[in-house]
Amino acid sequence: MSRTRFPSNGRPRAELLDALEAMRDGDADWRHGRVPLYVFGATDDVAEIGKAAFNAYFTENALGGKRAFASLRRMEEEVLGIGLDLFHAPEGASGTLTGGGTESILLAVKSARDAQRALRGGRHAANLVLPVSAHPAFDKAAVLMDLEVRRVPVAPDYRADVAAMEAAIDADTILLVGSAPCFPYGVVDDIPAIGDVALRHGVALHVDACVGGYVANFARELGATFGPFDFAVPAVVSLSADLHKFGFCPKPASTVFFRDAVRAGAAGFDLDVWPNGRFATNTFVGTRPGGAVAAAWAVLNFLGREGYLEITRRLLAMRQDYEAGISRIDGLAVVGKPDLSILAVGSSDPAIDMFKVADGMSARGWIPGLVRQPRALHSMMSLLHEPAREDWLRDVAASVTEARSAVAPAQQQAVY
Ligand SMILES: Cc1ncc(COP(=O)(O)O)c(C=O)c1O
């Protein structure tokens, strides 16, 4: 990285705003569904209310919720209360509003580690058992907390292989993980089955519902066939779900919930170490944007259950339309049976290298998401992808034709 000269004089506002727009020229066209992750959209109305609420609380700091900004504290409690309701949490459960899925997962892992330390007395070796499809945020947590991660291959249907997970458990296992759904294949793991294993072995179970949590129960109401995945499953002790993904709230906003006060307490920090007095936060970070709290509160109240149900209905219909289009392209097949709106598209024909198909999509102005095992195109689709369907299918079909005859090796690398 080279140094940029610190400007000696400021520049006018209009010039800067123009410059910002101009800088966008080289960016991917997310507004028209050409980006398969990173941004999420429901309707323009939802985006507008989120922005307006964010701006209304642009300056306030949610770290000050306890002492200065009672409004933010109230909104935060209401947002978390809605999550407790949605995820069938029992009396005594509580949650924390965080800056993202990774932070929610870090806190869940810390909770498991510290709850176990309290039980066993002090430090000892500890491991996490997860399907290979679980998010790398668990490994980040393990790096930070010096834990071992045991990633277990998934079953042929790409869901967690519950028997293999059970075989990986030993006396030092502190947490099992299931995803609802997992990012690579978009399938919801069999949480009740993992829960049975967790209870049998006396190990905690975390459900990572970061990508689908806020629509998954609505999908079940609409007839999706996956089973219960939240606190309705007795073994689940914690659950992460991102507001800034399928909650359609502005970034940064995620939630993590704990079944009981002991687990919640073990996640947080209560430090009495410096000249200013006690420093107690439930979050990993200190300063947090008040705007994100206000925006989450506003979006949840703007949509209500009915609003989310309607968006979920559209998401599921959109996925089915994409699947129907894919089935008409010779040699392509959806990987597994996606439960929500994440799709991985692989090849049933060894002559088609999906990474070459991805090269063709890049050349046509799409950012192709990638899966390595099996090689597949990957899309985490929100309603931004609804109008893009026909163009996407047309370009995939053309890229498949090219890939069949291509001789050069694929250029794509699965790096996120
Ligand atoms: C299943 C799952 N968990 C956790 C995360 C991490 O979320 P974030 O990027 O908000 O930290 C992601 C991100 O895509 C995810 O797909």
Side-chain angles (χ1 to χ4, degrees), residues 100-103 105 135 137 181-183 208 210-211 242 244-245 380:
T102 301
E103 187 185 2
I105 288 168
H135 194 271
C182 69
F183 180 77
D208 180 14
C210 279
V211 282
D242 291 354
H244 64 201
K245 293 193 176 84
M380 178 155 65

Side-chain angles (χ1 to χ4, degrees), residues 367-388:
I367 302 288
L370 300 169
V371 181
R372 272 193 310 195
Q373 290 161 341
R375 281 193 170 200
L377 289 182
H378 186 265
S379 291
M380 178 155 65
M381 297 187 294
S382 68
L383 293 186
L384 291 170
H385 297 86
E386 225 177 27

Side-chain angles (χ1 to χ4, degrees), residues 13 16 34 43 59 75 79 114 169 182 244 250-251 275 277 280 295 304 333 343 345 354 383 390:
R13 171 196 152 98
L16 288 170
R34 286 184 171 252
T43 61
T59 308
M75 285 186 265
V79 166
D114 288 2
I169 295 172
C182 69
H244 64 201
K251 303 171 200 53
L343 262 190
V345 182
M354 291 310 292
L383 293 186
E390 287 310 317

Side-chain angles (χ1 to χ4, degrees), residues 308-328:
Y308 279 102
L309 196 65
E310 181 50 29
I311 290 171
T312 310
R313 199 191 313 275
R314 281 176 63 183
L315 283 174
L316 296 178
M318 175 186 68
R319 189 203 74 222
Q320 283 162 5
D321 290 345
Y322 267 89
E323 285 178 306
I326 290 157
S327 71
R328 289 193 289 272

